[in-house]
Amino acid sequence: MRALKPALAVCLFVLMTVPPVHARSADKKKEEKPAEAAPEPRRQTLGVEYFRTAVDLDKSQEEKMRQLLSDYNKEKIKREGDIRFKELEFKELANQETLDFDKLEARYKEITDLQAGVGSFRVKKLLSAREFLNDEQYDKYKRKLLKMFFQ
């Protein structure tokens, strides 16, 4: 048993210090990559072009969709700006020498309320396309939205 203790210690030391084979092969693969790797594909954005063919919009519907998405994007930018502003205020409060927990908690609640508002706004605004899409188009539209939001 005494002879095994040094051997076990050496084995443990080797296992702890030597990277596994798959990690070494991954490092080699990283080194073998060409200098310019292909960029990752961008995630789909909400644009009329995406829905034009996916939902088969006519010209009138296309214009209404363009307006809906424009209004959506403008309002979304405003709301996200409000959230960022409140987050900055939260950070300022958190960096003060004497912390006021009540103010921090109130600011945090404001931030979470604004975030929840963005989510409900997104659903209500985007699903308002029901007003100008027929049943088949609306079904395709909902499936495309779900695919985009939950990729």
Side-chain angles (χ1 to χ4, degrees):
M1 186 69 163
R2 284 185 168 212
L4 288 177
K5 284 186 180 179
L8 286 174
V10 169
C11 288
L12 283 175
F13 176 75
V14 170
L15 287 173
M16 292 171 56
T17 57
V18 176
V21 173
H22 62 84
R24 287 184 291 194
S25 63
D27 289 339
K28 287 180 184 178
K29 287 179 186 175
K30 287 179 187 176
E31 293 170 6
E32 293 172 5
K33 281 187 179 178
E36 285 195 36
E40 291 186 25
R42 288 184 56 190
R43 191 171 179 190
Q44 289 286 356
T45 57
L46 289 177
V48 173
E49 297 75 25
Y50 178 69
F51 292 111
R52 181 185 303 130
T53 56
V55 182
D56 193 30
L57 300 174
D58 64 28
K59 291 291 182 189
S60 170
Q61 291 171 323
E62 187 177 325
E63 187 53 41
K64 290 175 183 175
M65 181 66 75
R66 181 174 279 112
Q67 188 60 50
L68 181 142
L69 295 175
S70 175
D71 293 346
Y72 165 78
N73 287 321
K74 288 175 188 175
E75 184 65 23
K76 182 177 154 230
I77 289 168
K78 286 180 189 175
R79 289 174 181 240
E80 288 174 346
D82 291 343
I83 291 170
R84 287 190 185 110
F85 184 80
K86 294 293 182 187
E87 287 172 343
L88 286 173
E89 289 180 339
F90 180 85
K91 288 178 184 175
E92 288 174 355
L93 287 172
N95 288 327
Q96 290 179 355
E97 283 187 34
T98 56
L99 293 179
D100 185 344
F101 182 75
D102 291 334
K103 285 183 181 178
L104 279 171
E105 186 178 33
R107 189 70 65 214
Y108 183 77
K109 183 172 177 2
E110 288 175 12
I111 292 168
T112 57
D113 290 347
L114 287 170
Q115 289 169 335
V118 168
S120 64
F121 156 75
R122 174 183 292 139
V123 170
K124 287 177 187 174
K125 188 66 173 177
L126 294 176
L127 293 182
S128 70
R130 180 71 181 118
E131 297 169 5
F132 57 86
L133 297 176
N134 64 38
D135 292 340
E136 182 182 337
Q137 288 174 319
Y138 189 66
D139 187 51
K140 290 178 184 177
Y141 175 74
K142 285 191 306 187
R143 280 189 265 133
K144 291 293 180 186
L145 285 177
L146 287 172
K147 184 178 177 183
M148 287 174 59
F149 289 136
F150 298 108
Q151 281 182 336

